[in-house]
Amino acid sequence: MKIINCIKYLMLLAVVSILTTSCSSDDDRGAIVDSSQTSTSKYVVGFEAFPVGDASSVDYILELPSLESLTTGEISVEGQGIPQKGWRFFHGVENTVFTVGYGDDDKCIAYGLDTESKLVEKGNFTFESTLNNYAAIDDNTLLAVELTFGGTSQEGSIQALSDKRFHIIDAETGKLQKIVEHPIDITVGDGTAANPGTIPWVTGMVLQGDKLFVSYQKLLADGSTVTVDVGRAYVAVFKYPEFELEKIIYDDRTSPIGINGHSTGIEKTENGDIYSNSSSALSAGFTSVTKPSGILRIKNGTTEFDKDYFFDVENAPNGGKIFWMDYVGNGKAIARIIIDDTIGPWKAFLEKDVLKMVVIDLVNKTVTDVQGVPIHGQRYTSPMFVEDGKAYISASTATETHVYIVDPKTATATKGAKVQGVSLKGIFKVTN
């Protein structure tokens, strides 16, 4: 009997030992592969490659191994990256990067990290007309609006003026949810080539509570991109998500807001205030100028321009005409200032020796040149990438392109990685 009980006891010990070993093994294995308990972050860039021969340049989306890839060495798409079709816009929403065709392509593609931390396509959709302005209105939604305008046919008759088509896009799936059409501020004219009417050209969108603020310029609706009503800044205020136009506000202290192709005409700060930037630059698309380049404010909780706030950036010490501006935090913005507006129409988009970089203190109304960034050029800039209070920005001279790491507190920059291409159109951080 004692022998039988001993055997039972030894068998029980063996079973317990096997179960304990099995559970321990399962726990260890789960700590390594359970993706629900770990996440991976990667840095992704929109890369404009050098054109080959007479061909147009080709854009890539490229993942980098680490943040240090932006600060040292060289960034290249040789043997890596995902080539895109033609020239593209890049915009990020939380952990999704969108690349959007312009001219050569009518597709919007969303990229993100899969469960194995590989950069993959999440989804895509096609659009009828070029999407020209974008806003991440929350962590899950990209809002994009078409560049549509009427024009004259060869026979001289006027084409119909199209409403602006707002595309609401799910950032998780990369799919188009719906399209909302609205004229915003179209004037039809009298239907002749001499009086074609005007159309709004959207330059920025900000969601504040249930209010969507949309900045825009007015262009002649004849396909000429002639700017009209150049002595006034406009913002349309919509009830969102209904897209009901509540009012159009304007201010006569500066020019129409924003720049062609840039999405940061208006931006929201930490306290909910909205700041706009107006260029008044003939070299940046304006066909006439009557007011200085400057910054306006819409205070949080209001739907009017603040009558007590205007920053005349053009005439401030170290100032000039704003080509691009983006909010970096703590009441400060980083901007590119045109140093010579007499170089000719649209030249600020093309030349490599026309822009300087500055830090703008929106509260104290000061402009400070950034030390360490040369006079440069940059046709297009996505909303800039900021990490640990520093901004990572691409800038090109006539001979080379580099990433610059800008400290807005000190208005100094460190030269980072060399870009073996035309430019970096955007820098993003995505996590799975």
Side-chain angles (χ1 to χ4, degrees), residues 261-281:
H262 292 162
S263 295
T264 53
I266 54 174
E267 292 193 288
K268 183 170 62 175
T269 64
E270 297 94 335
N271 67 359
D273 290 348
I274 295 172
Y275 288 87
S276 68
N277 65 86
S278 298
S279 175
S280 299

Side-chain angles (χ1 to χ4, degrees), residues 42-361:
K42 288 191 175 181
Y43 298 87
V44 175
V45 297
F47 188 104
E48 184 178 2
F50 289 123
V52 178
D54 295 331
S56 301
S57 61
V58 175
D59 288 352
Y60 287 72
I61 185 166
L62 171 69
E63 64 176 275
L64 303 177
S66 66
L67 182 64
E68 286 69 32
S69 300
L70 292 167
T71 62
T72 61
E74 296 183 348
I75 301 173
S76 170
V77 292
E78 185 175 355
Q80 60 183 343
I82 305 172
Q84 307 292 293
K85 185 176 180 180
W87 196 97
R88 306 183 79 80
F89 290 105
F90 291 81
H91 207 94
V93 181
E94 197 65 6
N95 294 310
T96 302
V97 179
F98 290 90
T99 86
V100 190
Y102 180 81
D104 296 329
D105 189 35
D106 60 355
K107 183 178 288 187
C108 175
I109 308 172
Y111 290 90
L113 299 183
D114 64 11
T115 56
E116 297 180 351
S117 302
K118 294 181 180 179
L119 185 66
V120 296
E121 181 178 327
K122 299 172 69 173
N124 68 77
F125 66 92
T126 58
F127 46 82
E128 291 185 11
S129 298
T130 299
L131 301 176
N132 192 57
N133 197 267
Y134 311 85
I137 58 173
D138 58 41
D139 290 345
N140 300 307
T141 308
L142 178 70
L143 182 61
V145 63
E146 281 183 347
L147 171 61
T148 53
F149 52 88
T152 55
S153 68
Q154 292 182 347
E155 291 76 22
S157 60
I158 298 297
Q159 298 174 2
L161 302 185
S162 302
D163 287 352
K164 291 299 180 184
R165 289 160 51 89
F166 292 89
H167 293 58
I168 297 93
I169 304 151
D170 186 330
E172 283 298 314
T173 65
K175 299 294 186 180
L176 178 65
Q177 292 183 310
K178 65 177 179 178
I179 296 175
V180 178
E181 298 187 8
H182 200 285
I184 306 178
D185 190 10
I186 286 177
T187 56
V188 177
D190 61 11
T192 67
N195 183 18
T198 64
I199 52 122
W201 185 309
V202 175
T203 59
M205 297 179 285
V206 166
L207 183 62
Q208 178 68 291
D210 66 346
K211 300 288 189 294
L212 179 67
F213 295 80
V214 180
S215 63
Y216 61 95
Q217 301 177 5
K218 288 186 176 183
L219 305 181
L220 276 185
D222 60 1
S224 65
T225 67
V226 170
T227 45
V228 297
D229 206 1
V230 295
R232 181 174 288 182
Y234 285 94
V235 169
V237 183
F238 289 88
K239 184 179 180 181
Y240 185 87
E242 295 84 355
F243 276 94
E244 296 175 0
L245 181 63
E246 294 190 347
K247 62 169 70 173
I248 291 175
I249 61 176
Y250 62 88
D251 197 297
D252 294 327
R253 292 173 288 180
T254 188
S255 63
I257 295 167
I259 288 291
N260 168 32
H262 292 162
S263 295
T264 53
I266 54 174
E267 292 193 288
K268 183 170 62 175
T269 64
E270 297 94 335
N271 67 359
D273 290 348
I274 295 172
Y275 288 87
S276 68
N277 65 86
S278 298
S279 175
S280 299
L282 296 172
S283 62
F286 279 72
T287 51
S288 62
V289 171
T290 62
K291 299 291 175 65
S293 175
I295 297 172
L296 298 167
R297 178 173 68 187
I298 302 170
K299 296 187 74 172
N300 188 12
T302 72
T303 55
E304 297 289 344
F305 287 111
D306 184 352
K307 297 185 182 301
D308 296 324
Y309 183 93
F310 175 61
F311 185 15
D312 183 347
V313 175
E314 183 170 344
N315 295 300
N318 302 316
K321 294 179 182 288
I322 300 169
F323 179 69
W324 163 88
M325 187 181 92
D326 202 352
Y327 185 67
V328 69
N330 297 316
K332 293 183 178 180
I334 293 176
R336 303 186 201 265
I337 297 289
I338 299 169
I339 60 174
D340 181 7
D341 194 36
T342 66
I343 57 176
W346 300 99
K347 290 292 187 178
F349 291 88
L350 305 173
E351 302 296 331
K352 297 296 186 182
D353 59 353
V354 69
L355 304 174
K356 69 173 183 175
M357 193 170 293
V358 301
V359 173
I360 298 178
D361 189 320

Side-chain angles (χ1 to χ4, degrees), residues 6-24:
C6 182
I7 293 173
K8 288 181 177 179
Y9 179 73
L10 291 173
M11 291 176 62
L12 178 61
L13 282 177
V15 170
V16 170
S17 176
I18 291 170
L19 289 174
T20 302
T21 303
S22 175
C23 289
S24 175

